[in-house]
Amino acid sequence: MEGSTMDNAHDMVATAAPFDTAKLDRLMDEAGLDILVVTSRHNVQYLLGGYRFFFFDVMEAIGTSRYLPVFVYQKGHPENSAYIGNRMEKFEHELGRISAPTVKAGAWGTIDAIGLAIEHVRRLGGSARRVGIEAGFLPADARDHLLAGLGHVEVREAHFTLERLRAVKSPAELDLIREASERVVDAMMATFKGCAPGMTKNDVVARLRREEQERDLVFEYCLIAGGKSHNRAPSNQRLEEGDVISIDSGGNYRGYIGDLSRMGILGEPDSELRELLQQVEDIQQVARRAIRPGALGGGIIAAGEAAVNASPHRAVLDFTAHGIGLVSHEAPRLTATGPVPYAPYDADRPLECGMVISIETALLHPARGYIKLEDTLLVSESGWEAPGDHGRGWNSSRLIA
């Protein structure tokens, strides 16, 4: 098979794994897993120490199939790990960018990629009895091929195991999250400065996209509300003098997401608008005070909800908090009642240094519009750190120097 010669020539058996293998082994023990067959791009990127193939960064379809990166890990034997990638990734491998003991750049679609993974698992011998997969990130044809090729094994879900591995970020990851957060807010500030009556929401989003791209971010999305409307989809709604503008955007920096929300206005805010945004800010600050190492994760939700209930605007306020990193909602899992449904695994568990949390408060005023702040908090020894913490008031081209 094409790529096998390259595998032998470039195997990097002595390369140290770029992740905590002891932690992963422990998590696999807890889940009863012998082998991992990892197929989500974010988890493959993590296990490869940040590597992500540029060719498929935007789209995955090619020919009659799709790109499917695969990372195979055997519990207790990181030296047996293998990465299966696209044939064009041999160029990346030649440059030393792929950190795995075995690299098989020989696939074009899902079946040949998973076929190479099956071959590798078979070589590991009889210890591979329970194989962990990411069912939500494994195409049906590849899953069927895997089950047929490894008929003797029991397949189990490994999403939770891999998420727990990523729950505490390394110093290098925290640096990337800092950069992502700072750059997203800087892009928002530049966008608000350029807003003017007559622009559409689509115009504002296009401006934000350019500002994020100029800051070396991959623009992922923008939720935008304008005027009295609570509709946050980009549209041809035309903005008028005095309209408030809510921008909530995700910008990706080397795989890590900066997801924050700030407020703008076409004009100057009146006393009521200042009071409404201050209500949102007060709730955000109350929630921050619950963030520190050793505090239970659910305390953030309890603090934010208590502040909402104490507000005169509680009927139109919405607060939530969630983990963030390579994925916009990941560990720590703080609540079962947030916008993305999952069990609150971390609600009664202590926060740890290196965890990253997004807190967000929105006020859906019937007459003044959608008013929101969203912040990123890094759990630190002193409590928390908030990268991208500027621009928290009303931003306008008339008010921004």
Side-chain angles (χ1 to χ4, degrees), residues 23 27 40 42-43 46-47 134 159-170 173 256 324-327 329-331 354-355:
K23 181 178 181 181
L27 290 167
S40 65
H42 56 277
N43 277 322
Y46 183 85
L47 295 169
E134 298 177 273
H159 178 276
F160 185 76
T161 296
L162 291 162
E163 185 189 65
R164 300 318 297 181
L165 178 67
R166 306 191 327 266
V168 175
K169 275 57 176 177
S170 69
E173 290 180 282
Y256 289 82
I324 191 169
L326 282 170
V327 179
H329 280 254
E330 61 177 39
M355 287 182 166

Side-chain angles (χ1 to χ4, degrees), residues 47-247:
L47 295 169
L48 291 175
Y51 168 78
R52 187 178 179 123
F53 186 33
F54 66 89
F55 190 86
F56 294 100
D57 206 31
V58 176
M59 56 85 183
E60 297 176 331
I62 188 166
T64 58
S65 188
R66 54 160 282 188
Y67 174 59
L68 185 68
V70 186
F71 189 92
V72 179
Y73 180 83
Q74 181 183 24
K75 184 182 67 179
H77 295 280
E79 72 279 3
N80 291 339
S81 299
Y83 172 64
I84 290 91
N86 182 270
R87 291 183 186 181
M88 289 184 290
E89 288 181 82
K90 66 183 180 183
F91 305 126
E92 297 279 67
H93 190 34
E94 288 171 358
L95 295 173
R97 292 174 176 166
I98 304 177
S99 179
T102 298
V103 177
K104 300 174 182 291
W108 272 111
T110 56
I111 298 301
D112 49 354
I114 210 69
L116 290 171
I118 291 168
E119 289 179 10
H120 187 77
V121 172
R122 285 174 175 167
R123 293 193 195 106
L124 299 179
S127 63
R129 297 296 182 188
R130 295 162 299 182
V131 176
I133 65 169
E134 298 177 273
F137 297 91
L138 183 61
D141 59 352
R143 181 188 175 114
D144 290 346
H145 198 58
L146 180 69
L147 292 174
L150 299 176
H152 64 289
V153 305
E154 177 188 352
V155 173
R156 298 183 178 183
E157 177 59 65
H159 178 276
F160 185 76
T161 296
L162 291 162
E163 185 189 65
R164 300 318 297 181
L165 178 67
R166 306 191 327 266
V168 175
K169 275 57 176 177
S170 69
E173 290 180 282
L174 294 175
D175 284 343
L176 294 176
I177 292 169
R178 288 186 186 97
E179 285 294 329
S181 302
E182 294 285 347
R183 295 178 190 213
V184 165
V185 176
D186 285 347
M188 289 178 179
M189 296 300 97
T191 299
F192 284 133
K193 188 174 182 179
C195 288
M199 293 176 67
T200 67
K201 292 203 295 180
N202 281 331
D203 294 332
V204 177
V205 173
R207 171 69 180 264
L208 179 66
R209 180 190 297 269
R210 292 193 299 272
E211 295 291 347
E212 290 190 7
Q213 291 171 340
E214 287 177 3
R215 290 164 176 81
D216 199 25
L217 295 169
V218 175
F219 174 86
E220 290 203 353
Y221 59 83
C222 176
L223 298 169
I224 177 171
K228 298 179 181 179
S229 174
H230 300 161
N231 187 306
R232 297 204 292 160
S235 72
N236 285 324
Q237 176 189 339
R238 201 165 295 279
L239 301 174
E240 301 177 359
E241 179 70 21
D243 278 356
V244 303
I245 307 169
S246 167
I247 292 181

